[in-house]
Amino acid sequence: MALQCGIVGLPNVGKSTLFNCLSNAKAQSANFPFCTIEPNVGVITVPDDRLTTLVEMCQPRSVVPATVEIVDIAGLVKGASKGEGLGNKFLANIRETDAILHVLRCFDDDNITHVDGSVDPVRDKEIIEYELILKDLETVDSRIAKTLKQAQTGGDKVAKMQYEVLRQIKEALDAGKPARSVVFETPDEQKFARELFLLTSKPVLYVCNVDDASAATGNAYVDAVRKSIEGTDSSLLVVAAQTESEIAELDTWEERKEFLNEIGLEESGVSRLIRAAYSLLDLQTYFTAGPDEVRAWTFMRGSKAPKCAGIIHTDFEKGFIRAEVIKYDDYVKLGGEQGVREAGKLSVEGKEYVVQDGDIMHFRFNV
């Protein structure tokens, strides 16, 4: 499941530094705009202590963790929706992602130039959101012109539904609100809205990039951003990207832990960010575990057993018979699958079973 989060922000806010911490791919990091000419893509492992425990218990021949793709997109500037800077190219790159990690500069440093001359993360946030809204308005207006004609002349019920969806989204965009603020009730409306691939329909995590001293507590800039997103469905994470890059260079886990303790953190911002990105995409994990392989499988929250089986192989979904399910806590407490079976804790579930985060699954199928 190759789902992507795009890292966006103004130039020189720490996007590429953060990307370098997240991935082994090394984006050019320089003190001038547009140093990232092509989007850099890195596949990152989702930290999960449950996987580590299962590996210790099963001692498998191979281990496959869950992953998320991170795309580092060059800095946007005011006027990007009209092609300023390298706007059109990078707005297209954002469109291809599933969620947005919006990096905001929340630190002072005279040695790092700010494209607008001063540090103001709320203003920076609004600049980029305004550009994304303008681009979405362009898309919606174009679709409305075509759809309205069909709805009026042909009496097409589908066209009428689509026009109503577009009208509601346009109303929100005109008011300066993102497309994701509009909630549609019917599956057909929701499907059509998704298929528009609007930039502002994507979930957003605001990543406040702070200095070392603010890594654990945040600062006034972070407080201002937090206040500005009150009442929205967006979330916020504080990360010191430069500090994270120093942590990444340490050789051992013990050295990294000691470094984190010194700055008042229990775990790295990178680990928190990866998990937040995973959650932002509404993803969860089920496991398959045995002596051959322990593997984390990524699925969308709320998925039923056959759909989750199909993630392993399409034949599993087509020929689904049943799923044998072990709860992670039972697996650990009872010492593995044999202990679970002996305790009568293994459950057999059918097609309507909604898979839960952490389930250990074994699928029965026939094709």
Side-chain angles (χ1 to χ4, degrees):
M1 188 176 288
L3 293 165
Q4 291 186 336
C5 290
I7 300 180
V8 305
L10 292 177
N12 296 343
V13 297
K15 301 184 311 304
S16 294
T17 302
L18 187 61
F19 176 83
N20 288 342
C21 298
L22 288 166
S23 171
N24 288 329
K26 294 297 179 184
Q28 180 187 2
S29 182
N31 183 26
F32 55 87
F34 316 127
C35 66
T36 311
I37 303 303
E38 295 295 333
N40 291 271
V41 181
V43 179
I44 58 175
T45 299
V46 179
D48 196 327
D49 291 339
R50 297 172 302 183
L51 183 70
T52 305
T53 299
L54 291 175
V55 169
E56 290 173 353
M57 292 180 68
C58 296
Q59 296 293 307
R61 283 182 277 277
S62 70
V63 181
V64 184
T67 60
V68 174
E69 288 186 2
I70 300 292
V71 184
D72 180 26
I73 298 166
L76 296 169
V77 295
K78 193 180 295 183
S81 60
K82 304 300 181 186
E84 292 295 324
L86 299 172
N88 285 329
K89 182 175 179 62
F90 299 125
L91 287 169
N93 289 332
I94 297 170
R95 196 180 300 281
E96 295 170 5
T97 65
D98 300 288
I100 294 174
L101 307 178
H102 188 160
V103 181
L104 297 167
R105 177 173 169 175
C106 294
F107 64 90
D108 294 307
D109 189 334
D110 293 338
N111 295 318
I112 301 178
T113 305
H114 191 289
V115 71
D116 283 328
S118 63
V119 177
D120 185 342
V122 175
R123 176 203 60 206
D124 296 351
K125 177 178 77 72
E126 291 172 351
I127 286 173
I128 286 188
E129 289 175 348
Y130 181 66
E131 295 301 327
L132 299 184
I133 285 172
L134 286 179
K135 198 66 179 176
D136 279 350
L137 267 172
E138 187 181 302
T139 301
V140 170
D141 284 340
S142 174
R143 291 295 296 266
I144 282 178
K146 297 175 184 177
T147 308
L148 182 58
K149 188 178 293 184
Q150 292 176 319
Q152 288 177 332
T153 58
D156 188 331
K157 289 184 179 179
V158 173
K160 287 181 178 179
M161 177 275 292
Q162 292 178 346
Y163 171 74
E164 184 58 27
V165 169
L166 290 164
R167 185 195 64 76
Q168 290 183 53
I169 293 174
K170 178 175 170 55
E171 190 175 284
L173 295 172
D174 282 337
K177 297 177 181 177
R180 63 181 173 276
S181 65
V182 184
V183 179
F184 297 104
E185 295 182 1
T186 72
D188 286 343
E189 290 173 333
Q190 293 165 2
K191 182 173 183 290
F192 176 65
R194 282 196 303 271
E195 290 172 350
L196 292 171
F197 296 105
L198 297 175
L199 302 172
T200 63
S201 66
K202 304 175 189 300
V204 177
L205 172 68
Y206 294 100
V207 182
C208 292
N209 184 17
V210 300
D211 54 25
D212 292 4
S214 306
T217 60
N219 55 31
Y221 291 133
V222 174
D223 293 340
V225 175
R226 187 176 283 115
K227 186 175 181 180
S228 75
I229 64 171
E230 283 180 359
T232 71
D233 57 357
S234 300
S235 51
L236 178 150
L237 189 72
V238 177
V239 172
Q242 190 56 46
T243 302
E244 295 295 325
S245 67
E246 294 171 12
I247 293 172
E249 290 175 2
L250 298 175
D251 293 329
T252 67
W253 182 87
E254 289 77 11
E255 288 177 310
R256 294 176 185 177
K257 188 70 175 174
E258 185 178 347
F259 189 107
L260 288 168
N261 289 338
E262 288 176 0
I263 59 175
L265 292 175
E266 291 186 5
E267 78 176 327
S268 74
V270 164
S271 293
R272 289 183 287 115
L273 178 57
I274 296 169
R275 274 203 295 272
Y278 196 69
S279 176
L280 187 67
L281 291 167
D282 213 17
L283 302 178
Q284 293 184 323
T285 302
Y286 75 82
F287 301 97
T288 50
D292 290 331
E293 179 184 81
V294 169
R295 182 163 183 159
W297 299 90
T298 299
F299 69 97
M300 298 296 294
R301 183 193 304 271
S303 297
K304 293 182 179 180
K307 188 173 183 64
C308 287
I311 295 169
I312 298 176
H313 196 285
T314 53
D315 285 350
F316 282 33
E317 183 174 7
K318 291 175 184 175
F320 179 88
I321 299 173
R322 65 181 181 274
E324 296 177 355
V325 183
I326 301 173
K327 296 303 176 184
Y328 171 79
D329 288 343
D330 289 337
Y331 192 95
V332 174
K333 182 180 178 181
L334 298 170
E337 183 174 337
Q338 186 61 36
V340 169
R341 289 181 180 276
E342 291 173 358
K345 291 288 188 177
L346 182 146
S347 63
V348 177
E349 306 289 350
K351 292 182 178 181
E352 295 303 309
Y353 177 70
V354 177
V355 177
Q356 302 299 303
D357 186 47
D359 280 353
I360 297 167
M361 311 287 291
H362 182 69
F363 298 105
R364 301 291 184 182
F365 72 102
N366 183 30
V367 290

